Amino acid sequence: MNEEMKSVLAALEAIEKKMSENVSKEEVKALEEKQEKLSKQILDLQQKGLKLELPQTKQVKTVGELVVEHEAFKNYLNGNATKCRFEIPEFKAEESGSQTPATPTVQNPMLTPTGGVVPAYRRPGILGLPQRQLSIEGLFPSSPISSNSFEYVRETGFLNKAAVVAEGSAKPFSSISFDVKTGKVHTVPHLAKVSKQMLEDAPALIAYLNTRMTYGVDLVVEDLLISGAGGDTTLPGIFTTGNYTDVGASKADLGGSSATLYDLILLAKTKIQKARFHPNLILLNPTDWMKMCVVKNSSGDYYTGGPVNSVVNTLWGLPVLDTEAIPEGKFMVLDTTQAATVWRRSGLVIEMFEQDSDNVQKNLVTIRAERRLGFSIERPEALVGGTLAIPTA
């Protein structure tokens, strides 16, 4: 608090204490005049922009900010270490934007621009390419592990023989069968090169780490969780054959010639319920969701409520997540709580080092970002979907 404000408040406190004592009317009047002057003085100080020191909300730092403030990075930058390493646990990229090209053009190393007698004004930060909003990984429960593989026990059968028996009679035995499943932890890394000069440009480095290195790893993870082949080489995906239950609808299942895509999704929801799971989400591509939103009945009314009164995206009582991660023409209804698990071996790890190729000669630094995780799809019956199209027969 400002020293002038402190002294004014102290004087006010002394006046209030004096007025509580037995004093004459003349003294009370004099104290009231002083109190009025001090109150005006406080108001004047406040109008000049003086602010009290209130507790500040703790700010969550980005990956880049954590890196440039880390002691290991400072030691590396000062030449006291030949490499530096950071681990940022449980970090997810949350930037939104469009899909990354299938074969992007790599433009490394990234050098600090130079040249010109009169330097041009440079806008702070880096204007990165648009990015896709990442949302799939966070749908599923996660569990930390400390090894490079994991196991889980799945119940495969339950023969229930529970029954009422007469006194003295033998009690029946029920049987329960189990199956032990195993999975692997996979590493998702990528590398980039930057100039040492850029390391001293903290804002640029923060933007680079946040919008490219972090996002690049998480983008690949999300794509694998959708369509990964699985096995010993990569993560399994929920749309990969064998990892989900195909809706397998016929036209008769959907009510005959009047069948709609809404009926198809209801059938998928019902199949999950018949398997004794609890569907809680529908996954659609934004283009497919748009096509469903514009469907009208014979009176010209929107099935989904129309553009003016649209509320939270829902179908058959379930929320709809429209994301570019889902291939166009596909859909899935799922029980996210029981279908699958993400196994986290480590958080996002970022390392910087010069000992790579011709870095020393060219004054470059290699940055490596990687994550180690596994993904197990434990209940394909809790994932029902497939092609978003009305069957022809």
Side-chain angles (χ1 to χ4, degrees):
M1 186 183 297
N2 185 277
E3 291 300 325
E4 187 176 358
M5 177 68 83
K6 285 182 179 180
S7 62
V8 173
L9 291 175
L12 272 175
E13 185 179 354
I15 290 174
E16 290 172 358
K17 184 177 179 181
K18 185 71 174 176
M19 292 176 70
S20 65
E21 300 174 355
N22 293 326
V23 294
S24 65
K25 291 182 179 180
E26 291 76 11
E27 288 176 314
V28 169
K29 186 176 181 180
L31 290 172
E32 287 177 346
E33 290 177 355
K34 289 182 179 179
Q35 188 180 43
E36 184 179 355
K37 289 180 180 179
L38 291 171
S39 298
K40 290 181 179 179
Q41 191 174 352
I42 290 176
L43 180 61
D44 183 57
L45 288 172
Q46 290 175 337
Q47 289 175 343
K48 289 180 179 178
L50 181 65
K51 295 182 180 179
L52 299 180
E53 294 178 354
L54 300 175
Q56 298 296 315
T57 303
K58 185 177 180 181
Q59 185 178 3
V60 178
K61 295 182 178 179
T62 64
V63 170
E65 290 170 331
L66 292 173
V67 168
V68 297
E69 294 174 6
H70 200 284
E71 201 62 34
F73 175 74
K74 294 177 181 178
N75 288 334
Y76 176 77
L77 197 58
N78 294 332
N80 297 327
T82 58
K83 64 179 294 185
C84 53
R85 183 179 189 272
F86 325 90
E87 179 173 349
I88 296 88
E90 300 298 330
F91 181 86
K92 295 187 182 67
E94 296 179 352
E95 293 81 9
S96 62
S98 62
Q99 189 171 353
T100 301
T103 310
T105 302
V106 179
Q107 295 181 346
N108 282 326
M110 184 173 183
L111 301 175
T112 302
T114 58
V117 177
V118 180
Y121 169 78
R122 180 194 286 186
R123 176 175 175 171
I126 295 176
L127 296 177
L129 295 173
Q131 298 177 7
R132 190 175 83 200
Q133 184 175 357
L134 306 177
S135 53
I136 299 301
E137 183 180 349
L139 298 177
F140 302 102
S142 64
S143 177
I145 58 173
S146 56
S147 63
N148 60 0
S149 63
F150 53 88
E151 293 183 347
Y152 58 94
V153 179
R154 184 172 69 174
E155 183 181 347
T156 57
F158 174 39
L159 183 59
N160 186 12
K161 290 291 186 178
V164 177
V165 297
E167 186 176 346
S169 300
K171 275 72 174 178
F173 278 94
S174 295
S175 62
I176 307 173
S177 56
F178 301 96
D179 188 17
V180 178
K181 297 288 186 179
T182 61
K184 289 187 61 176
V185 168
H186 298 278
T187 303
V188 182
H190 68 150
L191 301 163
K193 290 187 177 184
V194 298
S195 67
K196 292 197 70 174
Q197 290 86 348
M198 185 180 175
L199 292 182
E200 298 173 0
D201 182 5
L205 178 61
I206 290 171
Y208 188 67
L209 291 172
N210 283 344
T211 60
R212 279 293 158 257
M213 301 304 288
T214 301
Y215 171 75
V217 172
D218 287 340
L219 177 64
V220 170
V221 169
E222 177 162 288
D223 287 340
L224 290 174
L225 296 184
I226 293 295
S227 57
D232 292 335
T233 58
T234 188
L235 296 167
I238 60 175
F239 275 90
T240 301
T241 302
N243 293 341
Y244 73 101
T245 301
D246 192 283
V247 65
S250 66
K251 184 172 281 190
D253 293 331
L254 305 181
S257 58
S258 61
T260 67
L261 295 179
Y262 303 109
D263 302 322
L264 182 68
I265 290 176
L266 178 59
L267 177 62
K269 175 188 175 184
T270 304
K271 283 195 171 186
I272 293 179
Q273 291 172 318
K274 290 181 69 175
R276 299 177 183 175
F277 294 101
H278 307 285
N280 60 358
L281 188 66
I282 300 169
L283 297 177
L284 287 170
N285 182 275
T287 301
D288 294 322
W289 175 237
M290 181 275 296
K291 291 177 181 178
M292 298 185 73
C293 286
V294 299
V295 176
K296 305 177 185 69
N297 60 22
S298 57
S299 301
D301 301 319
Y302 288 95
Y303 279 119
T304 56
V308 178
N309 298 318
S310 59
V311 290
V312 179
N313 296 350
T314 58
L315 285 179
W316 303 114
L318 301 181
V320 175
L321 175 61
D322 54 325
T323 168
E324 290 181 272
I326 305 303
E328 191 171 339
K330 297 289 185 179
F331 83 101
M332 184 166 289
V333 183
L334 62 161
D335 178 351
T336 60
T337 63
Q338 301 185 71
T341 301
V342 177
W343 303 85
R344 303 185 188 280
R345 179 63 179 85
S346 69
L348 177 71
V349 175
I350 297 178
E351 294 182 90
M352 301 180 187
F353 43 90
E354 289 182 86
Q355 291 72 22
D356 178 41
S357 185
D358 56 355
N359 281 6
V360 175
Q361 180 183 0
K362 295 184 177 180
N363 214 22
L364 301 176
V365 175
T366 298
I367 301 177
R368 178 171 63 202
E370 68 181 28
R371 290 181 60 193
R372 297 186 65 199
L373 73 161
F375 186 54
S376 59
I377 300 173
E378 292 127 13
R379 290 296 188 184
E381 306 93 335
L383 301 147
V384 178
T387 302
L388 187 66
I390 300 171
T392 56

